[in-house]
């Protein structure tokens, strides 16, 4: 398949070993989907599409100029912030080449009959056992229509060059000029509650504990900190409930837990299955009760 045919790849067709093309997040979700986990369907706008965009628009040369003024490690934060702002402005004002936007439109038409989509970063190396870029790159939820999707894709591409992303790469001694961004587009699943489940307690990974957090509605409300979650700590080995802390959401009444015992068991089972598949304790987003993954 030529490079044009690999600009947009359905998640269900993503092959093993293609992380450099579709990024870490999409590669893992594709593997989970093939293993039978309930992963919302979608497609990936690949790193080849990103490369085509930055080449055709001249952004690749602009980035090299901005970051070629002096070594990144010697740039002050203010200089990095200024350069990042100028680079991201170039991304947001540039038009996506018609040949690429047409492929994206066709993939969206096949996927989005049920409604809005989520647009997520999937950079190669992102969310691996060695590096965590959680919160560094952009995601956009509730995207509806082709024009809004192209805007969201440019925003995710641009987030590769935010000051936070550049500082994090400097901290990890990664060359930002070698960075590429794939974008994962998935059908939105809107359920009564959502959350994040941690295969190990992030406060003390040596404990035999998993942590499950839940908020009413979309997981984005938890990720951006706008809603305080319910939190359960459970024994990994036995499923025994260690602690439940209700979220402080100002209801003024004794809160009912958002999840029941069956929900917790299903999530713990999913965490165990994902860990067995990848070989390390995962952090996963989930949505819906009693059918979390």
């Amino acid at each position: 398949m030529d490079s044009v045919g690999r600009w947009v790849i359905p998640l269900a067709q993503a092959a093993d070993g293609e992380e450099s093309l579709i990024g870490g997040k999409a590669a893992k979700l594709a593997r989970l989907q093939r293993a039978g986990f309930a992963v919302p369907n979608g497609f990936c706008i690949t790193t080849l599409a990103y490369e085509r965009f930055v080449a055709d628009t001249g952004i690749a040369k602009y980035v090299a100029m901005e970051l070629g003024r002096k070594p990144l490690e010697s740039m002050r934060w203010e200089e990095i912030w200024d350069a990042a702002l100028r680079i991201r402005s170039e991304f947001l004002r540039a038009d996506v080449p018609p040949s690429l936007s047409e492929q994206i439109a066709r993939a969206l038409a096949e996927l989005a009959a049920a409604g809005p989509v989520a647009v997520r970063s999937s950079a190669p190396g992102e969310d691996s056992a060695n590096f965590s870029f959680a919160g560094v790159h952009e995601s956009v939820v509730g995207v509806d229509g082709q024009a809004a999707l192209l805007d969201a894709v440019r925003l995710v591409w641009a987030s590769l060059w935010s000051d936070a992303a550049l500082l994090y790469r400097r901290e990890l001694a990664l060359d930002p000029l070698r960075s590429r961004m794939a974008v994962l587009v998935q059908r939105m699943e809107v359920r009564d509650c959502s959350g994040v489940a941690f295969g190990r307690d992030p406060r003390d990974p040596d404990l035999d504990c998993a942590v499950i957090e839940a908020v009413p509605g979309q997981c984005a409300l938890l990720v951006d900190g706008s809603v305080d979650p319910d939190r359960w700590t459970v024994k990994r080995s036995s499923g025994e409930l260690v602690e439940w802390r209700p979220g402080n959401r100002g209801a003024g009444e004794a809160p009912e837990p958002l999840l029941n015992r069956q929900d917790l068991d299903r999530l713990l089972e999913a965490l165990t299955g994902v860990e067995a598949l990848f070989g390390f304790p995962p952090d996963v987003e989930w949505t819906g009760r009693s059918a979390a993954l």
Side-chain angles (χ1 to χ4, degrees), residues 189 191-196 213-219 222 286-288:
E189 296 284 349
R191 303 291 177 86
D192 57 346
C193 65
S194 307
V196 178
E213 296 183 338
V215 296
Q218 296 182 14
C219 191
L222 187 160
W286 58 269
T287 190

Side-chain angles (χ1 to χ4, degrees), residues 200 204-210 234-238 242:
R200 290 278 185 181
D204 191 347
D206 292 330
L207 293 177
D208 177 36
C209 289
V234 296
K235 289 277 190 180
R236 286 164 46 91
S237 54
S238 66
V242 176

Side-chain angles (χ1 to χ4, degrees), residues 40 123 136 186 213 245 260 262:
V136 174
Q186 289 179 283
E213 296 183 338
R245 187 196 69 83
N260 60 30
Q262 182 182 6

Side-chain angles (χ1 to χ4, degrees), residues 51 71 96 161 209 267 269:
E51 290 172 354
V96 177
W161 304 101
C209 289
L267 280 163
E269 179 185 358

Side-chain angles (χ1 to χ4, degrees), residues 136-206:
V136 174
H137 299 136
E138 291 281 356
S139 292
V140 188
V141 299
V143 177
D144 196 0
Q146 180 184 352
L149 175 58
L150 293 178
D151 287 343
V153 169
R154 283 193 294 261
L155 185 66
V156 173
W157 280 338
S159 71
L160 189 64
W161 304 101
S162 70
D163 56 312
L166 289 172
L167 287 167
Y168 190 55
R169 285 178 171 81
R170 182 172 73 174
E171 181 182 334
L172 297 175
L174 300 175
D175 180 0
L177 292 178
R178 298 174 63 87
S179 300
R180 301 292 183 270
M181 177 67 79
V183 179
L184 176 63
V185 180
Q186 289 179 283
R187 188 183 67 249
M188 288 282 294
E189 296 284 349
V190 181
R191 303 291 177 86
D192 57 346
C193 65
S194 307
V196 178
F198 301 89
R200 290 278 185 181
D201 188 337
R203 299 163 297 186
D204 191 347
D206 292 330

Side-chain angles (χ1 to χ4, degrees), residues 9 13 31-32 59 123 125 130 132 134 160 172 252 257 293:
I9 298 178
Q13 296 177 17
R31 189 173 174 189
L32 286 170
I59 290 176
N130 297 320
S132 173
L160 189 64
L172 297 175
L293 286 174

Side-chain angles (χ1 to χ4, degrees), residues 222-264:
L222 187 160
V223 174
D224 68 14
S226 61
V227 175
D228 190 42
D230 285 13
R231 180 180 293 113
W232 293 262
T233 303
V234 296
K235 289 277 190 180
R236 286 164 46 91
S237 54
S238 66
E240 174 190 351
L241 180 61
V242 176
E243 181 186 21
W244 171 57
R245 187 196 69 83
N248 181 9
R249 293 187 286 275
E253 301 177 0
E256 290 292 326
L258 289 171
L259 302 179
N260 60 30
R261 183 69 250 185
Q262 182 182 6
D263 300 325
L264 297 176

